[in-house]
Every structure is written in structure tokens, then in C-alpha cells.
Amino acid sequence: MSNVLRQHAEQLFLEELEELKKQDTEKRPYSWQLSPQAVVTYLMGGRLKNGFEVQPKYIGNRRLIEIAVATLTTDRALLLYGLPGTAKSWVSEHLSAAISGDSTLIVQGTAGTGEEAIRYGWNYARLLAEGPSEKALVETPVMRAMQTGKIARIEELTRISADVQDTLITILSEKTLPVPELNTAVMAQKGFNIIATANNRDKGVNDLSSALKRRFNTVILPVPESMEEEIDIVKRRVESYEKVMELPAEKPAVEEIRRIVTIFRELRSGVTTDGKTRIKVPSGTLSTAEAISVVNNGLAMAAYFGDGQLKATDLAAGIIGAVLKDPVQDKLVWQEYLETVVKNREDWKDIYRACRDL
């Protein structure tokens, strides 16, 4: 596994999960790998009784994670909702890893996702040769999760068309997946549930029907509340990226990360951190995930086209690429911010010059 670009959560954090299992003395729901309390500790981090340190996977409001975990102990599914880049998929993956020991039962929602991606499909060569049979049936991640009592993940639920979304209603309400062609049905085993993610910012979003909404408990994941919280998230994710990619670059100074986060937070909120200057907001989300991407790209630039030390010139292209989603509107917003805010900060002269030159 040493050459795998990105391991699944249950592989990458196997040591932590195994240690939590050993130390976990609380009651576990049927087929869960850990108790609800231990799942929250895995997500939020903490020190175990034997001194073992569990690294936080989600930095934010602990109560939100507790609500999400508690939901999965009931017969209601979980919908993680929020703006793009608020760690919905990240939290979904780690919840599945901690609860089921398997985060791979996933359906990626798109405009082209059909019923067969959620319910089941057919091996048409075998279907034509033998007719409908269990051997001709192609199981989906949702069907396998029902059979094994695990968590299934559906990414970007609102990108799936409404009629396909509603195929989930019977699964979530009756815990049954009918297979009329075989005159049978798959009955969900204890432990089965679904975690879906959705956002309302991107184009091509389909609203959930009221019937489907009732089957989900919605937890809204917000953007990081404080500057320090967001800096910590970016720092941790960047360090993880550096380790996997083995970049020949020095670790980025916290001050460089702080500047990126400051720019993104100010443009997101429409006001400078001191509250004195109102600024226009660009069309993009400028999420924490995009801040991580900008720093990672800057590290690659510094490693292979610089001296290995992250500088403003390495970050400038990434910043501009993140901000300028609309080439006309966002360009004006960025130029105004550059001239009225960045230019006037004494210790930001280097980043002003690098961005201006581009």
C-alpha cells in the first residue's frame, strides 16, 4: 500500500481505529465497530486512557458530530448539508470507516446517475443467456450495505434527478429493496444506514422531495467559525498531503497559511478582518478545501520550480485561479481587493507584487 496515492480512511488510520477498539468499553450498536462515544473521539480527536493520541479528523463543533453519530444509531438516514468545501465527504468517509470499518460502499451522484446505480443492475450477457437470476444480478453499494449491515454513502444527492432520488424512499422507510424480477427482496441487516451529502450552491441541483426529506436527519456543516480554526485545518491537511506526495519542500510557515486563509475569509464575508473596509464578494465559494489546494499547489511550485521554501510568487497563481471563477465580474472584485486591501498592508508587499504581476 506504500505507493497508493490515497488510502481509504480505515487503512490510513488503522492504528487509531484498532487502539480505539481495544480501549472502548461503551456499548456498541449491533454490527458497529466502535461505540458512538468512540466514533466521536475518532472524528474529533482526543487522548485515550492509556495515553494514546487520536488525531482530529474534523475541526469544528463537537455537538454537530454527536448529532450525526446519534442519528446513525436510529432508523433515520443522515444528510450532511453545507457549502462546497465544508468537509461533508470527509466526515462521511470517516463516519463510515469508524462505524462499519468500510468507507468504500459509495454511490457518486451526478445528473446521469440512474436507478440501477442505487437499487441494482443486470449483467445483460448473462440475463439474455439465462434469464433473470441471482447470478445475473449486479449488486450496488447500497444493496451490499443492506446485506452486510454497513453504512452506504451517497455523494452529491441533490445532483441526482428527483425521480431517481425517490428510489431511496422504500429503502429508507421499509428497510427493504424489492427485486420484482426474481419475486424476492433484500432485507436490510441491523447496522445498515445511509449517509448522503448535498450542497445548494452548485448549478444543476435538484431539491429533495418532502417524502425523502422526512427520511433524513439533516446536519449542516458550516464554514470554520474562527480564523485559527481554519488555519489549523489547512495546516493539518497540507502536512498530510506533503507526507503522501513526498515533496522536496520545506513545511509552509503558518504565516503563509494565515495570509491565504485571511484573503479567502475576507472575500467570503465581504469585509476585512478588522471590520473597517467593506469589499465585494466574488462568485466562487473560496472554501477551506480551496485554501488547502492553493497551499498544496504552492508547495509543488516551490519544490520543483523554486528553492523549496514557500513564497508569495508560488502562491499567487493559485490564489488568482481560486478567486477568478467568472472572468469578468470576479476580475473586477479581485483587482479592487488587491488595490484597496492587499496593497496597504505593510507585510503583504510581496504577495501584492506577485499577484499584480500575474
Side-chain angles (χ1 to χ4, degrees):
M1 298 295 290
S2 59
N3 293 324
V4 173
L5 190 60
R6 185 187 185 279
Q7 293 180 318
H8 300 303
E10 59 272 19
Q11 298 165 338
L12 189 59
F13 295 97
L14 179 61
E15 184 183 4
E16 289 188 4
L17 290 168
E18 289 299 323
E19 195 63 38
L20 278 163
K21 283 181 191 177
K22 292 177 189 175
Q23 302 295 317
D24 190 9
T25 58
E26 302 293 335
K27 185 177 180 181
R28 304 178 189 180
Y30 190 88
S31 85
W32 281 40
Q33 304 290 305
L34 298 170
S35 68
Q37 296 91 332
V39 173
V40 173
T41 300
Y42 171 73
L43 265 292
M44 301 303 298
R47 185 181 294 274
L48 304 184
K49 291 178 181 178
N50 64 349
F52 186 88
E53 193 74 32
V54 178
Q55 297 300 315
K57 318 301 178 299
Y58 177 75
I59 298 171
N61 190 324
R62 185 184 186 89
R63 194 61 175 170
L64 290 178
I65 300 302
E66 290 175 344
I67 293 168
V69 173
T71 296
L72 294 170
T73 67
T74 71
D75 64 348
R76 286 173 70 84
L78 174 65
L79 176 62
L80 298 174
Y81 197 70
L83 293 172
T86 49
K88 299 182 297 296
S89 298
W90 180 255
V91 170
S92 169
E93 179 183 3
H94 284 287
L95 284 172
S96 301
I99 293 169
S100 299
D102 185 358
S103 63
T104 64
L105 299 174
I106 180 171
V107 175
Q108 179 59 56
T110 69
T113 300
E115 285 188 26
E116 69 281 356
I118 294 174
R119 298 175 70 241
Y120 54 86
W122 294 99
N123 179 329
Y124 287 104
R126 178 161 265 174
L127 184 66
L128 291 171
E130 303 173 4
S133 67
E134 287 189 11
K135 290 183 179 179
L137 195 70
V138 178
E139 297 176 351
T140 64
V142 174
M143 181 182 278
R144 287 198 296 274
M146 294 178 74
Q147 292 169 334
T148 57
K150 292 185 177 181
I151 301 290
R153 301 166 54 205
I154 301 180
E155 290 291 305
E156 302 291 355
L157 178 60
T158 49
R159 283 188 171 274
I160 300 172
S161 62
D163 56 331
V164 177
Q165 287 176 10
D166 284 345
T167 61
L168 286 169
I169 292 175
T170 301
I171 295 171
L172 294 178
S173 59
E174 306 296 330
K175 308 303 180 191
T176 301
L177 176 55
V179 187
E181 295 91 340
L182 302 180
N183 194 29
T184 186
V186 174
M187 309 294 288
Q189 300 298 303
K190 286 183 179 179
F192 165 72
N193 215 326
I194 287 177
I195 303 175
T197 65
N199 74 75
N200 63 349
R201 186 69 181 264
D202 293 344
K203 293 178 180 177
V205 166
N206 301 292
D207 289 333
L208 303 183
S209 67
S210 57
L212 188 55
K213 283 179 182 177
R214 289 198 304 273
R215 271 75 182 180
F216 281 100
N217 189 29
T218 302
V219 172
I220 299 174
L221 296 183
V223 295
E225 288 186 14
S226 69
M227 173 84 72
E228 297 307 320
E229 191 177 280
E230 190 162 5
I231 289 170
D232 192 22
I233 294 170
V234 175
K235 180 175 177 291
R236 288 175 183 273
R237 293 293 298 276
V238 167
E239 286 175 354
S240 174
Y241 171 84
E242 263 194 302
K243 184 178 178 181
V244 172
M245 299 305 296
E246 299 178 345
L247 290 177
E250 297 178 15
K251 287 185 178 180
V254 174
E255 211 44 53
E256 289 298 341
I257 293 176
R258 183 179 295 276
R259 293 203 290 185
I260 299 298
V261 171
T262 299
I263 290 170
F264 279 32
R265 289 181 72 89
E266 288 182 333
L267 287 170
R268 263 199 325 249
S269 63
V271 64
T272 53
T273 51
D274 58 12
K276 295 180 179 178
T277 308
R278 302 293 301 179
I279 51 182
K280 292 175 183 175
V281 177
S283 61
T285 57
L286 296 178
S287 66
T288 309
E290 288 176 291
I292 294 166
S293 179
V294 168
V295 179
N296 285 341
N297 187 70
L299 282 171
M301 291 289 292
Y304 298 113
F305 302 103
D307 60 5
Q309 187 174 358
L310 189 64
K311 295 184 174 68
T313 50
D314 303 315
L315 295 167
I319 296 170
I320 293 171
V323 176
L324 270 60
K325 302 302 184 190
D326 183 311
V328 178
Q329 176 189 333
D330 292 342
K331 185 178 181 181
L332 296 174
V333 171
W334 173 244
Q335 286 177 337
E336 183 178 313
Y337 176 75
L338 197 63
E339 296 299 327
T340 60
V341 178
V342 178
K343 184 179 181 179
N344 295 324
R345 288 178 174 158
E346 226 19 78
D347 54 345
W348 283 32
K349 298 298 183 186
D350 57 339
I351 207 160
Y352 169 74
R353 286 193 297 270
C355 290
R356 183 198 59 190
D357 292 345
L358 282 177

